[in-house]
Amino acid sequence: MNIVVCVKAVPSTTEVKMDPKTNTIVRDGKQSVVNPFDASALEVALSLKDERAAAGLDTRVTCVSMGIPATERLLRDCVARGADAGLLLSDRAFAGADTLATAYALTCGIRALPAAPDLIVCGKMAVDGDTAQIGPELAGAFGVPCVAGVTEVVSLDDGTGGAGAALTLRRDSDEGSELVRVCLPCVITVSKDVATLRMPSISGVRAGEAAQIDVLTAETSGADAARCGLTGSPTQVVRSFVPEREHVSERIEGTAAEQAARLADIVRGME
C-alpha cells in the first residue's frame, strides 16, 4: 500500500509578515513548523503502516510538500518519525498560489511518484489559512472519494476476503458524529485531535539526516506554469490588515439602582 501525506510548513509564531506587493505570507523558513493538522495526518499514516506491518504487509509512506528549499528540513523530520520518503515541490513559479494552484502542483508531484497512492491523508486545514480546501481538491483531481473532518480511523480492511480495500472512519458533521466506510483509493482529511505525532527515535533521526529528499520544480513535475503560483490562482488577496482594537473602561458610581440603570444603558448600546 502506498500512502501519501500532504505536509505544509506554517509559521511557528503569530507575528506573521505579509508581502505588501502580493499580500501573501512571507515564508523565510527560519521559524516554520509542520502544520499541526498535517502532523496528525502523518501519525494516522504511520499507525496504519504499523498495523499492516504487524500483519506482514508492506506499506510505504511518502510526505509531499510545496514550499521554499528550507521546507526540506521538515520533510527530514517526517522521515525521522517513520515516513519512508519525502518529496518537495520548490520553484518560484509556485509562489503565491491559492488553494486551487496549490492542489494542482501537489497533484503533479504525487503523479510523479513511482507508484500511484492508495490513500492520501491531509490535515483538515492549515492554521495559517483555514480554508480546508486542499483535501477535497486533490480528491477531485484524482477522481476519488473524499472523507473530510475524520476524528477516528476505526479500521482498515485490506480486502483479503475478496472485496476491495476499505477504511471505516468516524467523522463529525453538523448533524453529529457519523460512521463512514470508504473504498480505496481515496482522500481523507483529519482533525488535529485524531492522533498525536510520535517522537523520533535515534535511529529515525539518523535516517532523516541520511534521507534523499527529492525536489521537483514546475518543469520537472510536469506542471503547466500557467496553472501555478499567482498566475494560476483565480483567487487572490486584495488587501490584508491587522484589525484595530480599542479597550475602553468606565467606572460606574452611584447607588445600586443608579449603577444598575447605567449598566442597562451600556448593554442596550451594544445591540
Side-chain angles (χ1 to χ4, degrees), residues 9-269:
V10 297
S12 61
T13 174
T14 56
E15 297 179 2
V16 177
K17 296 180 180 179
M18 303 294 293
D19 187 318
K21 293 184 179 180
T22 63
N23 284 312
T24 57
I25 296 175
V26 175
R27 303 183 187 274
D28 58 12
K30 295 179 181 178
Q31 295 183 327
S32 294
V33 297
V34 172
N35 175 46
F37 288 85
D38 297 337
S40 298
L42 176 56
E43 181 57 35
V44 166
L46 296 179
S47 296
L48 289 173
K49 177 182 176 181
D50 291 343
E51 179 183 330
R52 287 174 51 80
L57 301 171
D58 292 332
T59 305
R60 182 175 178 83
V61 176
T62 303
C63 292
V64 178
S65 184
M66 186 186 83
I68 61 176
T71 307
E72 180 180 319
R73 172 181 60 86
L74 300 182
L75 290 174
R76 291 188 183 280
D77 181 69
C78 293
V79 173
R81 295 172 191 266
D84 297 286
L87 172 65
L88 176 61
L89 295 158
S90 187
D91 192 325
R92 289 187 178 275
F94 295 138
D98 68 356
T99 58
L100 187 64
T102 298
Y104 171 71
L106 290 172
T107 299
C108 292
I110 293 171
R111 284 179 172 156
L113 293 173
D118 300 291
L119 174 64
I120 299 176
V121 190
C122 311
K124 184 176 70 172
M125 63 184 187
V127 294
D128 64 347
D130 295 358
T131 61
Q133 294 173 352
I134 295 297
E137 287 176 345
L138 286 175
F142 283 97
V144 298
C146 177
V147 181
V150 173
T151 57
E152 180 187 0
V153 177
V154 178
S155 66
L156 169 62
D157 182 353
D158 287 303
T160 54
L167 278 170
T168 301
L169 309 163
R170 188 175 302 279
R171 67 178 296 272
D172 290 338
S173 66
D174 293 339
E175 289 74 29
S177 178
E178 59 184 2
L179 209 59
V180 179
R181 182 176 173 84
V182 58
C183 293
L184 273 58
C186 69
V187 176
I188 66 172
T189 73
V190 301
S191 69
K192 189 167 60 174
D193 299 328
V194 69
T196 300
L197 182 59
R198 64 193 64 184
M199 295 297 292
S201 63
I202 294 177
S203 60
V205 172
R206 290 175 176 170
E209 292 176 349
Q212 178 180 342
I213 304 299
D214 294 327
V215 180
L216 296 180
T217 63
E219 181 179 358
T220 56
S221 67
D224 180 356
R227 298 181 61 183
C228 299
L230 279 173
T231 303
S233 299
T235 61
Q236 296 182 12
V237 177
V238 176
R239 184 170 68 98
S240 61
F241 60 93
V242 177
E244 295 183 3
R245 293 182 173 86
E246 183 179 2
H247 299 279
V248 179
S249 60
E250 176 183 345
R251 184 179 179 84
I252 301 176
E253 305 287 354
T255 64
E258 291 171 341
Q259 292 176 350
R262 175 57 186 150
L263 181 57
D265 290 337
I266 294 174
V267 172
R268 280 193 291 267

